């Protein structure tokens, strides 16, 4: 199958291209290769590379020729630095997706695999000993300044126990990036209904692994820790390091994309389905920093007590739907993956602090 992979020269996209090619597909890569995202040209994915912005409707129309499905990885990622990034996030993620979907509708391409994100949930699942499952509101600046990082019951103020979030949890985006990722899903669902297409969103949890970008505030936390170690510095862990996340290796994410693509043809026309994509084994941010530091033989992490107001405390995945419906299983364990990543090469530092679209 000929498959368009937007953002296919990026961190996750390049691994997806490799996984699809290994399954016998013919990937076509559309990527802007912006110098702020690619300080040096990445390995050439071959003659299928189209260097263009996903918001360029003519380039997208060209890229869609002969294509049977689209794997949409192009996005501006991460929490960013402040709200001044909002227009860039919306332009790249939401306008870019709208341009792509409009071109797919015109070209008659009816299969879409979207790179979603766990950030659409906001905080994860919490249980109160008195009130059962509850949804805490955003954490207040005063509590964070005082070092009170854990969420508490909105009814009785008791401490809450975090659990795994499922795809049926209500969406509650709490920063600009999260809002754009939810909008992408709504656009994909609307496109599927209007065209009789089939759309799947893989809601990635904390993806890490070889090829993550270095020295950029728009990367994931594992990349920030690894970048510090590469500079000979101690990883700086925000809050108290107890934030729970689901760290999933990029090769497992790529294999999930291959599995979802294989299942797309069998999905109902006009339908949209979301799948959590995580390892299923939660770890704290502090544990990730410590594992990387040990494997890198670098300085021990420093817990700073700092925070970012848009961050959530705990968010871990239940990936049972993905496993049961698509037969996918993660294969890279936390210790193994972190040990590999601690020594693996990263993408070169970006050449400017400003964000750039990934495709």
């Amino acid at each position: 199958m000929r498959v368009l992979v937007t953002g296919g020269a990026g961190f996750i996209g390049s691994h997806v291209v490799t996984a699809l090619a290994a399954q016998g597909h013919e990937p076509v890569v559309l990527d802007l290769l912006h110098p702020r995202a690619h300080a040096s040209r990445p390995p050439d994915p071959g003659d299928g590379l189209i260097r263009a912005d996903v918001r360029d409707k003519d380039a997208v129309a060209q890229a869609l020729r002969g294509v049977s499905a689209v794997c949409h990885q192009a996005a501006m990622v991460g929490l960013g630095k402040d709200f001044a990034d909002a227009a860039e996030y919306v332009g790249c993620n939401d306008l870019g997706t709208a341009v792509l979907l409009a071109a797919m509708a015109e070209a008659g391409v009816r299969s879409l695999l979207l790179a979603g994100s766990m950030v659409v949930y906001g905080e994860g699942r919490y249980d109160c000993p008195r009130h059962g499952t509850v949804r805490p509101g955003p954490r207040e600046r005063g509590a964070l300044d005082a070092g009170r990082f854990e969420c508490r019951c909105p009814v009785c103020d008791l401490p809450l126990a975090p659990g795994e979030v499922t795809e049926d949890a209500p969406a509650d985006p709490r920063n600009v990036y999260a809002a754009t990722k939810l909008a992408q899903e709504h656009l994909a669902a609307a496109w599927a209904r209007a065209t009789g297409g089939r759309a799947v969103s893989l809601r990635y949890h904390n993806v890490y692994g070889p090829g993550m970008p270095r020295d950029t505030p728009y990367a994931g936390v594992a990349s920030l820790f690894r970048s510090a170690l590469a500079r000979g510095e101690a990883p700086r862990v925000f809050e108290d390091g107890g934030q729970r996340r689901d760290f999933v290796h990029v090769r497992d994410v790529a294999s999930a994309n291959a599995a979802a693509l294989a299942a797309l043809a069998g999905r109902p026309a006009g339908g949209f389905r979301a799948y959590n994509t995580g390892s299923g084994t939660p770890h704290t941010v502090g544990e990730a920093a410590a594992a990387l530091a040990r494997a890198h033989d670098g300085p021990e992490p420093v817990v700073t007590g700092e925070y970012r107001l848009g961050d959530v405390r705990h968010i871990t995945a239940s990936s049972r739907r993905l496993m049961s419906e698509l037969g996918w299983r993660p294969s890279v364990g936390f210790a193994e993956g972190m040990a590999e990543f601690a020594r693996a090469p990263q993408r070169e530092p970006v050449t400017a602090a400003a964000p750039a679209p990934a495709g």
Side-chain angles (χ1 to χ4, degrees):
M1 182 190 304
R2 187 173 172 89
V3 182
L4 174 62
V5 184
T6 68
F11 164 50
I12 297 176
S14 60
H15 286 272
V16 170
V17 167
T18 298
L20 295 183
Q23 294 286 326
H25 298 293
E26 180 188 354
V28 178
V29 173
L30 185 145
D31 199 298
L32 183 57
L33 298 182
H34 197 291
R36 293 200 302 263
H38 299 275
S40 58
R41 184 183 174 93
D44 194 330
D47 295 336
L49 174 65
I50 299 172
R51 182 170 183 171
D53 194 312
V54 73
R55 291 168 287 190
D56 181 340
K57 62 180 182 180
D58 293 332
V60 171
Q62 174 193 348
L64 286 170
R65 291 174 184 165
V67 161
S68 299
V70 174
C71 186
H72 185 30
Q73 304 292 319
M76 183 175 158
V77 300
L79 185 57
K81 296 193 296 184
D82 54 44
F83 203 83
D85 293 335
E88 290 280 356
Y89 275 104
V90 173
C92 179
N93 296 356
D94 298 340
L95 177 58
T97 299
V99 170
L100 172 67
L101 293 174
M104 291 175 64
E106 186 171 350
V109 180
R110 296 294 182 260
S111 294
L112 173 70
L113 182 54
L114 175 67
S117 175
M118 55 84 177
V119 295
V120 300
Y121 298 116
E123 288 286 350
R125 176 194 169 98
Y126 289 89
D127 291 305
C128 171
R130 288 183 184 172
H131 298 99
T133 300
V134 296
R135 294 185 55 77
R139 296 181 295 169
E140 297 181 359
R141 190 184 297 272
L144 296 170
D145 286 337
R148 298 193 300 273
F149 302 120
E150 293 290 350
C151 296
R152 303 183 73 87
C153 178
V155 181
C156 66
D157 201 41
L158 281 175
L160 298 175
E164 293 183 337
V165 66
T166 68
E167 294 85 352
D168 296 326
D172 186 15
R174 297 192 176 184
N175 56 60
V176 171
Y177 171 60
T180 66
K181 296 306 289 184
L182 182 59
Q184 283 185 309
E185 291 195 347
H186 288 320
L187 287 166
W191 165 85
R193 287 193 298 271
T195 66
R198 297 170 173 85
V200 161
S201 176
L202 296 180
R203 291 175 175 169
Y204 302 158
H205 282 246
N206 286 67
V207 187
Y208 74 98
M212 286 193 88
R214 178 179 167 186
D215 295 329
T216 168
Y218 299 93
V221 66
S223 177
L224 299 180
F225 295 157
R226 178 67 175 81
S227 297
L229 291 165
R231 298 191 301 268
E233 301 171 4
R236 294 176 60 82
V237 180
F238 279 18
E239 302 188 17
D240 59 1
Q243 309 95 298
R244 286 162 50 101
R245 298 290 188 268
D246 189 321
F247 293 93
V248 57
H249 196 277
V250 67
R251 287 197 297 274
D252 285 333
V253 168
S255 71
N257 275 268
L261 181 64
L264 262 176
R267 296 209 53 80
F272 171 88
R273 187 73 160 161
Y275 294 95
N276 284 336
T277 307
S279 72
T281 306
H283 289 274
T284 68
V285 170
E287 288 171 342
L292 287 171
R294 283 194 304 270
H296 196 272
D297 294 326
E300 293 185 2
V302 175
V303 178
T304 69
E306 299 171 87
Y307 64 86
R308 298 189 301 180
L309 196 59
D311 275 340
V312 297
R313 179 60 177 175
H314 302 298
I315 176 71
T316 59
S318 168
S319 297
R320 286 185 288 274
R321 176 186 287 183
L322 180 59
M323 295 178 185
S324 63
E325 293 188 8
L326 303 188
W328 173 82
R329 294 290 186 278
S331 62
V332 183
F334 178 80
E336 171 194 354
M338 287 293 173
E340 177 198 21
F341 180 47
R343 297 293 182 180
Q346 292 178 274
R347 290 177 181 262
E348 290 300 312
V350 295
T351 57

